[in-house]
């Protein structure tokens, strides 16, 4: 099977090779080989149950959490297969951060939420830690709203702010790849817009991979789009191209809203 | 008001009167159940209040600084229950220090490994059975093992060990239950951040579950402090006129304590005057209520902080 590449000029940040993930013997992802270009936003779209979240969660091995999940194939990061027995999960997840569908701030202060990662991963303390926290909150476009309330509970924030706090928490660990699993689906339109702007901004400096069920969102925020169905990649390419001139009839049906 | 017409083809049945009949039935049933539950609930609350009120009424006259601090005098017929209170507090303190780590680690172990391993499921069932075992069984076990086998004698040390055994199952179960209330999304968040399993447990799950765990510890101690039978054969002495002295020797000596004083004092009418018994009874119930109040306070304080 040949790897689907968005463009030949772009450097690859992370790629999958013949990746199959099954839950209790039922395959959710069937031999997927794709490469995610560096410092760009890639959107994963497709109908419910198509395997897009499974693919995302395979990239930082969060599928390990599911008891009957079984993974075959490879995911190559820095020339190394992350499913290799010698792979250290802490190191993997330091490189590959993730935010979830529903904001999940820890029940601690805003500062502590962001500080926890750098403190445990790099042993930062004091002034240096404060600077990292501020930097992460600024990059998550949250600093101005919370700078006077850093000691307040992360759960006291609004849903959209909570999600940006989770993004800041992820950024503070200094990852290079950001995974986002429908990051706006639990948010109101204004919060959604803020997160979308943030994703576009982050895409300049990070490799961002976003699962979304919102096609307009995929079109607005991503450089590349992968369309999945029945656990397989149907079409993969530059977002503008894929939406304007889909090559496969399934893609066309889906983006024209004939099913999904 | 204009009646809405029903969709064409709706069966010709008198829907309104049928619905009215069902509504009336439902209303009757609701009223009945509300009445029953309300009455039973109220009765329960009143019963508890009555219990406390009667003990408070009978015992309040006895309570004084002297009663709470002085040892009994004149062959137990006068004086106070100072050594009994001190003994009960000592027993509880030791049980707290020993049972807390054991119980919390046990609960963590069950919560972390409980679902997948058959051994752990068996252990959970055993602990649950132990938590329901009558306290007298712990008393006899403590007598056989700590007092006789380990030759601790009837002593504070043997009492600590026995009460620890008595408290651990309840603490294990409440810790396990509290850890199971931690949302999976928080654990996912910790793991996705690159925290190890133990870091996630220590930094995220345990703090989240802490109010529940502390409540469990305090409640089990409250139960232990009021039980006479675990310490009956292992740690208790009845006839104390001496003031207690604290030192290393104390460990190997029996201690007076409130529940045992109550049980023995009541069995020997005419020796201990009734007013002293009521006073001790009120002291004991106040102690347990205080512990419960403390548990509630801790829980609400912690919950308010970040939740």
């Amino acid at each position: 099977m040949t790897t689907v590449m968005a463009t030949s000029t772009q450097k690859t940040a992370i790629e999958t090779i013949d990746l199959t993930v099954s839950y209790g013997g039922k395959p959710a992802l069937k031999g997927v080989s794709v490469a995610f270009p560096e410092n760009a936003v890639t959107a994963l779209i497709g109908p419910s149950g198509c395997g897009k979240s499974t693919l995302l969660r395979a990239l930082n091995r969060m599928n390990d959490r599911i008891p009957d999940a079984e993974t075959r194939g490879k995911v190559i990061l820095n020339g190394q297969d992350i499913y290799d027995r010698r792979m250290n999960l802490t190191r993997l997840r330091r490189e590959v951060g993730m935010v979830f569908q529903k904001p999940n701030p820890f029940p601690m202060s805003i500062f502590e939420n962001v500080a926890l990662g750098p403190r445990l991963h790099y042993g930062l303390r004091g002034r240096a830690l404060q600077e990292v926290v501020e930097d992460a909150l600024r990059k998550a476009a949250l600093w101005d709203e919370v700078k006077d309330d850093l000691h307040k509970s992360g759960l006291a924030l609004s849903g959209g702010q909570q999600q940006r706090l989770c993004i800041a928490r992820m950024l503070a660990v200094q990852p290079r790849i950001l995974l986002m699993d429908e990051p706006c689906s639990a948010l109101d339109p204004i919060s959604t817009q803020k997160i979308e702007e943030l994703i576009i901004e982050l895409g300049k400096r990070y490799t961002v991979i976003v699962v979304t069920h919102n096609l307009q969102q995929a079109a607005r925020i991503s450089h590349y789009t992968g369309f999945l169905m029945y656990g397989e990649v149907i079409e993969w390419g530059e977002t503008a191209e894929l939406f304007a001139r889909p090559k496969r009839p399934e893609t066309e049906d889906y983006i024209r809203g004939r099913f999904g | 008001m204009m009646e809405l017409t029903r969709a064409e083809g709706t069966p010709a049945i008198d829907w309104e009167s049928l619905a009215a009949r069902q509504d009336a039935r439902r209303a009757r049933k609701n009223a009945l159940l509300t009445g029953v539950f309300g009455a039973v609930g109220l009765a329960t609350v009143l019963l508890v209040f009555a219990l406390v009120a009667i003990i408070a009424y009978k015992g309040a006259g006895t309570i004084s600084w002297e009663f709470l601090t002085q040892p009994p005098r004149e062959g137990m017929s006068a004086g106070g229950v100072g050594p009994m209170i001190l003994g009960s507090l000592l027993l509880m303190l030791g049980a707290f220090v020993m049972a807390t780590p054991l119980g919390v680690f046990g609960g963590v172990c069950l919560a972390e490994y409980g679902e997948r391993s058959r051994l752990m499921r068996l252990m959970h069932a055993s602990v649950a059975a132990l938590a329901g075992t009558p306290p007298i069984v712990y008393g006899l076990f403590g007598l056989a093992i700590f007092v006789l086998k380990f030759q601790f004698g009837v002593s504070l040390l043997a009492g600590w060990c026995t009460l620890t055994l008595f408290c651990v199952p309840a603490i294990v179960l409440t810790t396990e239950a509290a850890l199971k209330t931690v949302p999976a999304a928080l654990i996912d968040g910790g793991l996705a951040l690159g925290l190890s399993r133990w870091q996630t447990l220590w930094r995220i799950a345990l703090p989240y579950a802490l109010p529940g765990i502390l409540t469990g510890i305090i409640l089990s101690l409250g139960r232990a402090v009021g039980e006479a039978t675990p310490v009956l054969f292992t740690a208790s002495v009845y006839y104390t006129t001496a003031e207690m002295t604290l030192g290393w020797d104390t460990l190997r000596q029996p201690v007076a304590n409130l529940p045992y004083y109550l049980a023995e004092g009541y069995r020997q009418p005419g020796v201990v005057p009734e007013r002293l018994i009521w006073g001790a009874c009120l002291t004991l119930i106040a102690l347990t209520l205080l512990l419960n109040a403390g548990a509630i306070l801790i829980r609400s304080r912690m919950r308010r902080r970040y939740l």
Side-chain angles (χ1 to χ4, degrees), chain A residues 42-208:
Chain A
T42 303
L44 298 176
I45 61 170
S48 305
C50 70
K52 54 192 191 296
S53 282
T54 300
L55 174 57
L56 193 79
R57 292 169 63 92
L59 300 178
N60 68 342
R61 289 188 55 177
M62 281 305 280
N63 285 330
D64 289 15
R65 282 271 286 153
I66 300 162
D68 60 351
E70 194 198 333
T71 307
R72 274 178 289 130
K74 289 180 179 175
V75 176
I76 305 293
L77 172 72
N78 299 330
Q80 209 185 349
D81 177 15
I82 67 167
Y83 283 91
D84 189 287
R85 198 191 295 262
R86 282 161 301 176
M87 189 69 208
N88 176 328
L89 282 187
T90 294
R91 263 180 51 205
L92 167 65
R93 290 167 183 166
R94 192 155 60 212
E95 295 265 300
V96 186
M98 183 174 220
V99 292
F100 298 83
Q101 194 167 347
K102 227 179 125 231
N104 57 351
F106 301 136
M108 43 182 97
S109 71
I110 293 168
F111 182 86
E112 283 302 318
N113 260 283
V114 185
L116 187 63
R119 192 184 280 140
L120 293 180
H121 282 291
Y122 307 108
L124 290 184
R125 291 199 274 154
R127 187 86 208 112
L129 183 63
Q130 281 173 29
E131 277 167 12
V132 167
V133 169
E134 177 175 342
D135 174 68
L137 284 167
R138 280 189 192 283
K139 282 181 180 147
L142 188 59
W143 175 255
D144 290 333
E145 291 161 59
V146 301
K147 62 178 179 224
D148 300 321
D149 300 312
L150 290 178
H151 62 281
K152 279 197 187 156
S153 167
L155 292 158
L157 298 171
S158 74
Q161 288 174 323
Q162 286 189 11
Q163 193 62 300
R164 278 179 284 148
L165 177 62
C166 292
I167 291 173
R169 185 173 80 186
M170 164 176 73
L171 295 177
V173 177
Q174 316 302 324
R176 297 184 311 136
I177 298 173
L178 316 181
L179 309 179
M180 303 192 181
D181 192 357
E182 301 192 22
C184 303
S185 66
L187 305 181
D188 62 84
I190 291 171
S191 303
T192 298
Q193 195 193 342
K194 279 195 181 151
I195 303 270
E196 285 187 10
E197 286 165 5
L198 181 56
I199 292 172
I200 292 169
E201 197 53 40
L202 290 172
K204 295 172 185 163
R205 281 182 282 186
Y206 297 88
T207 302
V208 184

Side-chain angles (χ1 to χ4, degrees), chain B residues 146-167:
Chain B
F146 301 121
V147 176
L148 301 175
K149 186 86 185 159
F150 293 173
Q151 298 189 338
F152 291 167
V154 176
S155 61
L156 180 59
L157 185 60
W160 278 352
C161 295
T162 311
L163 277 183
T164 297
L165 285 188
F166 177 69
C167 289

